[in-house]
Amino acid sequence: SQQGEEDPQALSIQEGENATMNCSYKTSINNLQWYRQNSGRGLVHLILIRSNEREKHSGRLRVTLDTSKKSSSLLITASRAADTASYFCATDGGRRALTFGSGTRLQVQP
Amino acid sequence: NAGVTQTPKFQVLKTGQSMTLQCAQDMNHNSMYWYRQDPGMGLRLIYYSASEGTTDKGEVPNGYNVSRLNKREFSLRLESAAPSQTSVYFCASTKDWPDTQYFGPGTRLTVL
């Protein structure tokens, strides 16, 4: 079963708008990571947030982590058409490997 | 650096055939991973190798075997392919757990 589950499954916005994706997980974690996947390509790492951190920024990306609610959110500000992709959260689910959610498909309309 | 490379990019097999997917990384990473991704879904871990000389099962290991040939190379073998193994296979590596994982471009496998 998937450790992380993203919400929504699909999101369509206009260029310039903000996009927010959420991730919920089930067990305790050491860190949570977000990845992006363009259609037909491999995954690219976006950001890692450790369990003792509450918020982290990287360029137009903002990630929050609430370990009490076992949830995380990824905010992309001022979205661009090039941000169109699937976004996955991943957690360390008890073994030395990541467990991925099923992803949010983001479509940014120009 | 080429990063993580995978061969082949595409493969079509008949049920019962065998094949090996190759993965290599040139980043001197310690850990390597094999995932499969089915349409519209996230990645599921098949096997991983935390360090050279060790391998461990992931979430969906049945029907697969792996070999950590050396620090650079980690291969995935399908002994008797089944249609349920039709998927896109990704290899990944990381320097140390639980750091960023770097992914290869994937192998698209179809089993008829």
Side-chain angles (χ1 to χ4, degrees), chain B residues 1-2 4 6-7 23 34 36-37 44-46 48 52 58 69 72 76 78 80 82 88-89 96 103 105 107:
Chain B
N1 288 350
V4 180
Q6 293 182 236
T7 56
C23 174
W34 276 106
R36 60 177 287 175
Q37 184 178 33
R44 291 186 293 171
L45 181 67
I46 305 171
Y48 67 104
E52 188 179 355
L69 304 170
R72 288 187 64 248
L76 177 72
L78 286 71
S80 179
V88 181
Y89 291 84
D96 293 302
F103 283 80
T107 294

Side-chain angles (χ1 to χ4, degrees), chain A residues 21-95:
Chain A
M21 289 158 264
N22 302 298
C23 170
S24 60
Y25 57 92
K26 298 173 184 175
T27 63
S28 297
I29 61 171
N30 293 307
N31 69 60
L32 185 144
Q33 303 184 36
W34 284 91
Y35 287 79
R36 183 186 74 207
Q37 183 181 35
N38 290 86
S39 181
R41 308 291 292 272
L43 276 70
V44 174
H45 181 261
L46 294 176
I47 199 164
L48 180 153
I49 186 166
R50 301 194 187 280
S51 59
N52 61 354
E53 297 176 311
R54 291 295 169 258
E55 187 171 312
K56 203 161 184 180
H57 296 253
S58 177
R60 294 184 296 112
L61 305 180
R62 172 178 167 250
V63 169
T64 61
L65 178 64
D66 187 336
T67 53
S68 66
K69 295 182 179 178
K70 292 186 169 58
S71 67
S72 174
S73 68
L74 170 67
L75 168 67
I76 304 174
T77 60
S79 63
R80 306 166 181 168
D83 294 328
T84 294
S86 291
Y87 292 82
F88 296 90
C89 68
T91 56
D92 54 331
R95 58 166 73 92

Side-chain angles (χ1 to χ4, degrees), chain A residues 7-21 76 79-81 83-87 104-110:
Chain A
D7 171 62
Q9 290 186 329
L11 180 62
S12 181
I13 59 174
Q14 297 293 319
E15 214 168 20
E17 294 181 337
N18 295 342
T20 299
M21 289 158 264
I76 304 174
S79 63
R80 306 166 181 168
D83 294 328
T84 294
S86 291
Y87 292 82
T104 293
R105 293 185 305 280
L106 174 65
Q107 178 76 43
V108 181
Q109 307 285 353

Side-chain angles (χ1 to χ4, degrees), chain A residues 96, chain B residues 30-32 48-55 68 71:
Chain A
R96 290 175 60 91
Chain B
N30 294 310
S31 302
M32 298 185 72
Y48 67 104
S49 172
S51 60
E52 188 179 355
T54 69
T55 60
R68 183 75 182 267
K71 192 171 186 178

Side-chain angles (χ1 to χ4, degrees), chain B residues 2 8 12 14 27-28 32 48 54 69-71 76 99 101 111-112:
Chain B
V12 179
K14 295 180 179 178
M27 296 175 284
N28 198 35
M32 298 185 72
Y48 67 104
T54 69
L69 304 170
N70 48 56
K71 192 171 186 178
L76 177 72
D99 290 341
Q101 291 195 6
V111 183
L112 302 175

